[in-house]
Amino acid sequence: MSSLFSCTRHVDDGEEEMLMAEDHGPDLIHPHDFRRPCSISRSDLAYSHCKEDEREQPVAHESLDYLPSHSGVYKKWLQEKPYRKEWDRWLLMGLIGTAVGMLGFLTHQIIDSLITLKWDLVENYLKDGNFHLTWVCVLGTGLAMILVSSSSVLFFCPAGSPSGLPEIIGYLNGTSIQHLFNIKTFLGTFVSCVLAVAAGLFCGPEGPMVHLGAILGCGLSQLQSDTLGIHLPFFTRFQNSADKRSFITAGAGAGIASVFRAPIGGLLFTLEEVSSFWNIRLAWQTFFCCLMATFTTDLLSSSLYGFVYRGHFGFFEAEKRILFWVKNLLDMHVLAFIPTILLGMLGGLLGALFVSLNIKINKLRMRFFNSIPKSSVRKTSKLLETMLILVCTTTVTVYLPYFFSCTPVMNVRDGQLRNNSEIRNLFKREISEYGCSPSTSWIGPDGVRYSNRTFNQAAALLVENGKQGITYLFKRGTHEEFGYASLCTALAFYFILCCWTAGSAVASGLVIPMLYTGALYGRIIGLILVSIFGVQTNEYGAWIDPGLFAAIGAASFFSGVSRLTISLTVIMVEITNDVQSLLLIMLAVMVAKMVGDFFNASLYSSLLRLKCIPYLDVEPFVHHGKKWLNLELFSARDVMEPHVRVLHLKENIASLAQLLASTSHGGFPVVCRPKPDHAEVFQGTIKRLELCMLLENEHIFEPETNYESFSSSHPLSYEKITVEKLPNLSRLTMLLNRYTTDPRYQQLFINLEPYINKSAMSVQAHFSLQRTYIIFRTLGLRHLTVVDPQNQVVGVITRKDLMPFPLEERLRLQLASQSPDTGE
């Protein structure tokens, strides 16, 4: 079963579907026939690489049922269950949030410690102006980190991925991806993430933190691990597909909340981007999980820095809690909306360009690596590519500041600084001095001590980690601190290297790079306004500040790449505390999204297509030629598979075993005859896994008898037949072979009535295709049975049939066979 599909790295649950027999014989469609949507190369979809992924990623078989099977044994199980409150669910949400918060704190501490250690090693070389030894030492430590980082993804992590975020989005939409929540994936992603960021690559920890949070949400809620052989008997009622996806959603939101200290932003991010199925109960629980994650991270960060206790435990200082704290809020003027619109348009254009370039680079990367037949050589080549990226990045960050002279820092009165922490964080620039003369201080005529310092602009923008650079760019009142040369140079190199880094063989995120890139061109626009109008000190012109437009530019580029709106606006307010700029940020985000959507899809949507992850959008968009098709003009029969194999309430053991042994589909419709002379009508569905579990219990088999007396007096319990995967595949194979070959089982039958889902959804063949799509996606279905007006089964619709390319192909053929008045 693990090697039957071409898209074996990402196989959606609906592809294990009800079997459709061909007209020309009793055999069913072979599973390899389902390769068609992923084997045809199109201009915008890179599906031809799916077959190469088969060598590395086996398929996991998992159900996507947001509602349990409404069968007789399920109703009996419900009757035996006492009424219970949701305290255990809230407890698990709190535990997941706390664990993710601790992980977020640990991630930040390790990254900061490694960066500090790396630059402490070259401090003396920088003071002496020895850039060559600086380059050697920084590159050496960085290569050591990258070697471990990339190796942990390529050789240790079974589901290694650059960020994991597209995979999480696809999984929560209904795609089954094996090893995505494996403990080895957790360890490999964590190690790769912290080392990649600390090594100096232009990336951030945000995407991997979403993945790590989702893994914690899955592991703590299920309390079982096949890798470690752990199956704890706690919270067993949550060991089902629907609850597991709810906890994964909450864990992913907690990851964003922890890394940005933005609990509301984490909640809205999961709602807008990550989760495909949402309800108000899940919103409350995810909100609580994000709250606990942020609280835990803030609590630990209040007293620990670099794993050293600094005191003030439980005192949440704004400069520590708020990631890019903006102190001096500015009053807005209506004229500020004009450059904001310009920034939004620029963010949409550059965001679309970034998405296009990144997808092209990843396509070339896939084509090159997939051309290497040997797996070990292919992985080694990916490792060498990440090391080459680091060499280029280190060379730029070390040598580029050499060409920039030192710039005086704006004079700061020591009396205006509140404490030593502020002096250290706001004023001192550490490595960004980069060979500049040491600072001097003097006492002015007013008796106040003044300080003076010089720094290297390019070093401040490129050498230090991205978070510190964003803080510099967002700072208000520093109109001329960064010039055009340093900003334009940093923007060009950062844009190119960041685009190349995204998708390489390390666990990395793109949020910090997106914010940084946008802040760079936003500050350039602000600097242009200052050059035109000068530094304004009156209250009506104070909005002409490069720091303000850096924040707006960061939001616009983030939106231009990700096409997020609501969650992005809230995250920007939470990480800057700049409520005054809320309207400007909202405007820039909306303009950037509209401009970006005109050119291409978002980065995450493009990566879903590039990675061949089956994904159902909220609304289907299908075009024929140059025209978009209105799916209300089509019906369910236009896309269904018409030849359906059905089961009966009384099934022969041998024929049922033969059916399961020769197929790998996920479920079957069940029919019955209400009266002897009546046609067979649709009764419900039953899943493959349930059939397999039934066949493992021979005591429920009965000899052939008349229908009235055929019933299981002691049917299996709901717990025994409800599983997410088969416990012993080899034993089942042996049983199916015995049932098929042993003549005794030709005379034995099984009663399926207590086990079928009698509330399975069905639509009539003339039902609107647009509404069929909405029902299928909204309810998270695996199969949708199509019936005629007499309730007889005439077809089946699965996720595969509603994917964009198969849907377009079916409707194109339908239009070709229809008359013009019905097809247009």
Side-chain angles (χ1 to χ4, degrees):
M1 293 173 64
S2 64
S3 61
L4 294 178
F5 294 86
S6 63
C7 286
T8 55
R9 183 175 181 183
H10 311 289
V11 178
D12 80 303
D13 298 324
E15 287 188 27
E16 297 178 82
E17 60 212 14
M18 306 179 186
L19 300 189
M20 281 68 74
E22 293 283 12
D23 289 334
H24 52 71
D27 293 337
L28 305 172
I29 293 178
H30 196 274
H32 280 94
D33 293 339
F34 296 147
R35 289 183 177 180
R36 183 171 59 93
C38 294
S39 60
I40 298 178
S41 177
R42 305 183 68 209
S43 59
D44 295 325
L45 304 180
Y47 285 153
S48 59
H49 63 280
C50 296
K51 295 177 67 174
E52 281 77 10
D53 287 343
E54 183 175 355
R55 296 190 294 260
E56 302 178 13
Q57 297 287 352
V59 179
H61 296 278
E62 179 179 355
S63 65
L64 170 60
D65 294 301
Y66 276 80
L67 292 174
S69 174
H70 192 251
S71 59
V73 293
Y74 172 70
K75 290 190 287 186
K76 182 179 178 181
W77 175 76
L78 283 181
Q79 290 175 345
E80 298 171 352
K81 290 290 180 181
Y83 175 78
R84 63 188 307 162
K85 297 182 179 180
E86 291 286 279
W87 64 267
D88 51 351
R89 188 184 298 272
W90 287 93
L91 174 62
L92 265 181
M93 287 292 181
L95 290 176
I96 292 170
T98 302
V100 175
M102 295 175 64
L103 181 67
F105 166 77
L106 188 65
T107 301
H108 284 300
Q109 294 298 304
I110 294 177
I111 290 175
D112 292 340
S113 299
L114 289 176
I115 291 176
T116 301
L117 176 63
K118 180 179 68 174
W119 288 103
D120 282 347
L121 294 175
V122 298
E123 183 178 3
N124 293 328
Y125 299 135
L126 283 174
K127 289 181 179 179
D128 297 337
N130 194 335
F131 291 96
H132 301 301
L133 284 178
T134 299
W135 179 81
V136 171
C137 291
V138 172
L139 181 61
T141 55
L143 287 177
M145 294 181 189
I146 284 298
L147 182 64
V148 179
S149 174
S150 187
S151 298
S152 64
V153 168
L154 293 171
F155 301 102
F156 177 76
C157 190
S161 173
S163 73
L165 186 54
E167 285 78 2
I168 297 297
I169 295 172
Y171 179 86
L172 293 177
N173 187 260
T175 299
S176 180
I177 305 171
Q178 192 175 16
H179 302 309
L180 185 60
F181 304 107
N182 191 286
I183 190 169
K184 292 177 68 176
T185 303
F186 176 84
L187 295 175
T189 302
F190 176 75
V191 172
S192 179
C193 171
V194 296
L195 291 179
V197 178
L201 290 179
F202 291 160
C203 61
E206 306 78 29
M209 271 302 299
V210 175
H211 190 186
L212 294 172
I215 294 176
L216 285 176
C218 178
L220 292 178
S221 64
Q222 304 300 297
L223 294 178
Q224 55 185 352
S225 171
D226 294 334
T227 303
L228 301 178
I230 297 175
H231 298 275
L232 300 179
F234 306 110
F235 302 113
T236 55
R237 79 183 187 101
F238 299 130
Q239 293 178 4
N240 59 78
S241 182
D243 286 322
K244 181 168 72 171
R245 281 175 166 83
S246 295
F247 287 113
I248 289 172
T249 300
I256 286 290
S258 174
V259 76
F260 282 131
R261 320 286 177 86
I264 304 177
L267 167 66
L268 294 177
F269 181 82
T270 58
L271 169 62
E272 189 173 2
E273 184 65 37
V274 178
S275 180
S276 295
F277 306 94
W278 197 258
N279 56 60
I280 191 63
R281 186 183 70 170
L282 178 59
W284 275 105
Q285 292 163 354
T286 304
F287 179 78
F288 176 64
C289 188
C290 293
L291 166 67
M292 292 302 299
T294 308
F295 172 77
T296 304
T297 303
D298 286 343
L299 186 64
L300 295 175
S301 301
S302 66
S303 59
L304 292 172
Y305 181 78
F307 301 106
V308 178
Y309 182 74
R310 311 278 176 152
H312 307 288
F313 180 77
F315 182 60
F316 296 168
E317 298 177 71
E319 60 185 313
K320 290 183 179 179
R321 223 211 124 253
I322 302 175
L323 208 59
F324 309 115
W325 185 29
V326 175
K327 297 182 181 180
N328 304 319
L329 301 185
L330 302 174
D331 294 328
M332 294 299 106
H333 193 277
V334 68
L335 294 177
F337 287 85
I338 298 176
T340 298
I341 295 175
L342 175 62
L343 279 173
M345 297 174 62
L346 190 58
L349 291 171
L350 290 179
L353 176 62
F354 183 91
V355 172
S356 178
L357 289 178
N358 184 254
I359 295 302
K360 290 183 183 299
I361 291 173
N362 280 316
K363 283 182 179 180
L364 291 174
R365 181 181 281 136
M366 285 182 173
R367 189 175 301 135
F368 173 76
F369 290 131
N370 289 337
S371 66
I372 303 176
K374 196 171 182 180
S375 176
S376 59
V377 178
R378 184 166 63 251
K379 291 180 178 180
T380 304
S381 301
K382 293 180 180 180
L383 175 62
L384 293 176
E385 186 209 11
T386 59
M387 299 178 76
L388 177 61
I389 295 174
L390 181 68
V391 171
C392 296
T393 304
T394 303
T395 303
V396 168
T397 55
V398 172
Y399 282 107
L400 195 62
Y402 175 78
F403 300 98
F404 287 81
S405 59
C406 296
T407 304
V409 181
M410 181 184 61
N411 290 341
V412 179
R413 294 160 54 106
D414 285 354
Q416 293 175 335
L417 300 179
R418 295 178 300 174
N419 51 48
N420 291 333
S421 175
E422 187 173 350
I423 294 175
R424 181 179 67 251
N425 294 329
L426 175 68
F427 186 57
K428 186 179 178 182
R429 293 182 181 271
E430 299 176 355
I431 59 173
S432 60
E433 296 173 8
Y434 223 73
C436 298
S437 59
S439 62
T440 58
S441 62
W442 66 93
I443 299 177
D446 53 0
V448 177
R449 178 177 295 275
Y450 289 83
S451 297
N452 190 18
R453 198 181 189 90
T454 58
F455 75 104
N456 189 301
Q457 294 184 16
L461 294 174
L462 291 173
V463 176
E464 300 193 26
N465 64 78
K467 289 201 306 182
Q468 191 61 48
I470 295 173
T471 303
Y472 294 156
L473 295 173
F474 281 5
K475 194 167 66 171
R476 307 293 162 79
T478 55
H479 297 73
E480 300 175 355
E481 195 160 293
F482 294 96
Y484 290 109
S486 61
L487 291 172
C488 293
T489 304
L491 176 62
F493 281 100
Y494 204 92
F495 186 92
I496 295 172
L497 289 175
C498 172
C499 194
W500 185 15
T501 303
S504 58
V506 290
S508 59
L510 274 176
V511 177
I512 292 295
M514 285 188 288
L515 292 175
Y516 201 9
T517 303
L520 286 169
Y521 71 72
R523 197 168 182 95
I524 293 173
I525 298 296
L527 200 58
I528 293 175
L529 292 176
V530 171
S531 300
I532 296 175
F533 300 103
V535 178
Q536 301 294 318
T537 57
N538 64 84
E539 58 181 354
Y540 295 105
W543 58 271
I544 305 178
D545 190 298
L548 169 65
F549 292 105
I552 297 173
S556 68
F557 188 72
F558 195 169
S559 178
V561 175
S562 65
R563 312 297 156 80
L564 296 174
T565 54
I566 305 171
S567 59
L568 173 55
T569 302
V570 174
I571 288 175
M572 288 301 300
V573 172
E574 287 187 296
I575 64 177
T576 61
N577 198 36
D578 190 0
V579 184
Q580 289 284 81
S581 306
L582 178 61
L583 290 179
L584 298 179
I585 292 174
M586 291 175 65
L587 178 62
V589 164
M590 286 299 300
V591 173
K593 174 179 169 52
M594 289 187 292
V595 173
D597 286 339
F598 182 79
F599 293 97
N600 51 29
S602 69
L603 178 64
Y604 301 131
S605 298
S606 301
L607 288 175
L608 285 169
R609 294 168 181 166
L610 180 68
K611 296 185 176 186
C612 197
I613 301 177
Y615 183 83
L616 294 182
D617 287 307
V618 178
E619 289 285 339
F621 297 102
V622 181
H623 60 87
H624 177 62
K626 296 183 179 180
K627 297 189 301 182
W628 291 99
L629 298 180
N630 186 351
L631 299 193
E632 290 279 23
L633 302 178
F634 298 89
S635 61
R637 70 161 59 90
D638 295 330
V639 298
M640 71 180 186
E641 289 288 348
H643 307 291
V644 185
R645 284 289 298 272
V646 298
L647 298 178
H648 300 81
L649 293 180
K650 183 175 68 173
E651 272 294 330
N652 178 264
I653 299 299
S655 61
L656 185 59
Q658 175 63 33
L659 181 65
L660 295 177
S662 60
T663 64
S664 62
H665 299 281
F668 301 87
V670 180
V671 299
C672 70
R673 296 181 185 274
K675 297 179 181 179
D677 57 344
H678 199 281
E680 295 179 334
V681 296
F682 177 64
Q683 187 76 4
T685 60
I686 188 167
K687 294 185 294 185
R688 176 189 182 87
L689 292 176
E690 294 172 346
L691 291 172
C692 293
M693 297 305 294
L694 291 174
L695 291 180
E696 289 190 354
N697 295 270
E698 291 193 41
H699 65 275
I700 64 173
F701 299 168
E702 297 184 17
E704 184 177 12
T705 182
N706 59 60
Y707 180 81
E708 287 75 12
S709 62
F710 185 86
S711 63
S712 297
S713 56
H714 300 287
L716 294 179
S717 64
Y718 177 71
E719 293 94 336
K720 288 187 178 180
I721 66 169
T722 304
V723 295
E724 291 204 28
K725 60 182 177 181
L726 295 174
N728 192 334
L729 184 59
S730 59
R731 180 176 181 273
L732 176 66
T733 304
M734 180 185 66
L735 285 176
L736 294 180
N737 183 60
R738 189 174 74 193
Y739 294 159
T740 305
T741 56
D742 194 332
R744 289 183 302 146
Y745 296 98
Q746 297 283 350
Q747 310 301 321
L748 294 179
F749 291 79
I750 186 173
N751 181 20
L752 300 179
E753 185 173 11
Y755 314 106
I756 65 172
N757 179 14
K758 294 185 178 180
S759 297
M761 290 294 300
S762 64
V763 296
Q764 292 199 354
H766 61 264
F767 199 79
S768 162
L769 179 57
Q770 173 79 17
R771 304 176 193 211
T772 299
Y773 185 98
I774 294 173
I775 290 174
F776 193 98
R777 188 188 187 278
T778 304
L779 296 180
L781 301 179
R782 298 182 65 201
H783 320 103
L784 183 59
T785 306
V786 183
V787 297
D788 62 12
Q790 288 74 41
N791 201 29
Q792 299 180 32
V793 177
V794 295
V796 156
I797 295 175
T798 65
R799 287 173 56 89
K800 175 182 72 69
D801 301 314
L802 297 178
M803 292 300 297
F805 183 62
L807 187 60
E808 182 179 322
E809 289 293 300
R810 294 277 185 93
L811 297 185
R812 182 180 61 81
L813 295 175
Q814 185 69 21
L815 287 174
S817 62
Q818 289 179 343
S819 59
D821 57 337
T822 59
E824 294 298 330

